[in-house]
Structure formats: C-alpha cells, structure tokens
Amino acid sequence: MTATLLRVHRAAAAVWAALILALTVWEVWLNQVTADDTRAAQTHCTQDYCDVFSSPYADWTGVVALVTGYAFLAVAAFAGGALIGRELESGTARLAWTQGITPTRWLAAKLALPALALTFGLGAVVAVFHWGWAVNRDLMWDDWYAQAFYLAGGPTAVAYALCALAVGTLTALLLRRTLPALGASVAVMWLLGLVLETYRADLWPRRTRTSANSVELPEHVWEVASGRNAGGYYAVFHPESHYWPLQLVECGIVLALAGAAVAVSFTVLRRRAA
C-alpha cells in the first residue's frame, strides 16, 4: 500500500516537498538576510514613521504566513478530490479491495502517509516561522493575534491540516464524486476556520482593566473590547501570555473534530464496502 500510494500520488508528494522546502528556505533567507537589510535601512530613516512595516521583509513574511496558515484549504481539496474522491468515483478503490486489501487497511494507509507528511512538513515550516517571528518581531506590522500569523506561528496550522485531511476523506466517502467532494471539503474547512476565528477570544478567560480615565494597555495585547460605562472606562483583553493557552485549546478542538471525522469515515466505509 505504501509503494502504491507513493506511485499514484507522486506528483502531489513532489509538489508538497517542493513547497515545504521553498517555504523553509525562503523564511531562513528572510530572517538571515532581508531582516538585516531592513534593520540597516532603519538607521538612515529621518522620518517620524519609517517604512519598515512595508519593507520586503514584512511583505514577504506576510506571504509566508498566509500560505502556511491557510495550507489546510489545499489539503481539504486534495483529500476530497484526488486522494479519496477520484478513486471512489473511478472504481479504483473497489478494485483494490478485491486484490487482498481490505477497505479498512486501504483507508488507514490513505490517511496515515499524508498525515505524517503534513505533520513533519508543516511542523518544520511552523517552527522556522515562529523562530523568525520571535527574532524579528519589531519589523512586522501585525501582532500575534492576527489570523495568518496566529495560525502560521503555532501548532494550529498542523491541527487544521490534519482536520482538513479527515474532513476531505469523510466528504469524499459520503459524496463519492470528485468535484462535489472537493468543493464541500474546502467549504467545510473554511467555515470551521471562520467560526473558530470569530470565537477565539472566548477560548480562554479574558482579563478586564478599568480606570476612571482612558485605559492604557501594554504593548502586544489583544484588545477584545473597550468602552465606557457607569463605573468609568474599561478594556477587555488577552495579554501576550495567553497565546499558547489559546493555541492549545484551539488545537484540542480541531484535533477532536478530526478524530470524530476519521471515526465516522471508517464507519461509512464499512457500510459502503459491505
């Protein structure tokens, strides 16, 4: 099964390996070379506001964050389309089941190898991105709670990718058509990401600060709400120390959904193959 999967999906494996390598090398170059050039340019800045936040370093790091943070949408499309949906639609899967490969073993292999590739590949990119973010944070225009940077800098990127693999598999098994499964997988994962982004601030207890005058918050806090009431001014926020608790809680939710999707997928497959 391993050799067969690698042969059938060798093009996708090559593209994934090239993407991981490109993102890793690109991020290392940005943080080892471009960041130094940007910082050197700051020394010659005579304006009150330098253009450091529209520098090549900031712009290209933002691109890396977008690609890394939203890679799960491409994973959902691949899982729903080429990985599972196409083989069910063409009958290749049922043919494999008549050649001594049980449906359960077929699906387990289909999930295990991509899951390993996603975990190690995307995990490496996330680690490099987080390292660069920590070293050159003063050159960036977005803070830790910005969606793309939040996803790309922590384990949520890997969790979403694994969930996309599971959701794509389930939709393909339910629909058994390549294009409908592809579209449904991307739509479901996009909706999941939108919902969790909307309610992310509620995943961990927030802090509230009040004052008779306007509230001054420290740098790099995520201000959720602020205003004035009968008691004076207030601000509701997440300090930077809440980054990892928020990451871990969201990872737990996403991985739980992934596990549920995998369990349902095996149940559906057994009924389809019966």
Side-chain angles (χ1 to χ4, degrees), residues 4 7 75 85 94 99 144:
T4 300
R7 183 171 63 252
V75 175
R94 191 164 290 277
Q99 304 300 314
W144 61 269

Side-chain angles (χ1 to χ4, degrees), residues 9 12-13 73-86 114 165 168 182 185-186:
H9 300 291
L73 295 177
V75 175
F78 171 72
L83 185 65
I84 302 295
R86 185 174 63 188
L165 175 65
L182 186 155
S185 301
V186 173

Side-chain angles (χ1 to χ4, degrees), residues 79-81 84-91 93-94 97 106 168-182 184-185 268-269 271-274:
I84 302 295
R86 185 174 63 188
E87 295 203 14
L88 292 174
E89 185 176 24
S90 64
R94 191 164 290 277
W97 301 341
W106 173 84
T169 299
L170 178 57
T171 55
L173 288 169
L174 292 174
L175 299 177
R176 291 183 292 177
R177 294 292 183 271
T178 303
L179 291 180
L182 186 155
S185 301
V268 171
L269 179 64
R271 293 180 179 178
R272 297 289 190 197

Side-chain angles (χ1 to χ4, degrees), residues 52 110 113 115 198 202:
V52 60
K110 284 283 189 179
L113 289 178
T198 302
D202 300 322

Side-chain angles (χ1 to χ4, degrees), residues 164-256:
L165 175 65
V167 168
T169 299
L170 178 57
T171 55
L173 288 169
L174 292 174
L175 299 177
R176 291 183 292 177
R177 294 292 183 271
T178 303
L179 291 180
L182 186 155
S185 301
V186 173
V188 170
M189 287 307 303
W190 174 82
L191 182 60
L192 175 62
L194 180 63
V195 169
L196 286 177
E197 180 185 4
T198 302
Y199 294 99
R200 181 171 294 144
D202 300 322
L203 298 180
W204 195 255
R206 296 171 287 187
R207 295 182 182 176
T208 302
R209 183 173 293 182
T210 59
S211 175
N213 301 313
S214 59
V215 178
E216 296 292 334
L217 294 176
E219 191 178 8
H220 301 311
V221 303
W222 178 11
E223 184 177 322
V224 179
S226 63
R228 185 179 183 181
N229 53 27
Y233 294 89
Y234 70 92
V236 182
F237 64 96
H238 282 291
E240 190 176 359
S241 60
H242 286 187
Y243 174 79
W244 284 111
L246 287 168
Q247 281 270 344
L248 295 177
V249 170
E250 188 166 348
C251 278
I253 294 172
V254 175
L255 290 177

Side-chain angles (χ1 to χ4, degrees), residues 113-180:
L113 289 178
L116 288 174
L118 290 172
T119 300
F120 288 103
L122 207 53
V125 174
V126 167
V128 173
F129 184 89
H130 191 82
W131 158 73
W133 169 262
V135 172
N136 298 301
R137 185 172 176 180
D138 58 307
L139 301 180
M140 298 305 303
W141 70 91
D142 274 327
D143 223 319
W144 61 269
Y145 48 83
Q147 174 70 352
F149 289 88
Y150 176 86
L151 294 178
T156 49
V158 179
Y160 273 99
L162 294 176
C163 187
L165 175 65
V167 168
T169 299
L170 178 57
T171 55
L173 288 169
L174 292 174
L175 299 177
R176 291 183 292 177
R177 294 292 183 271
T178 303
L179 291 180

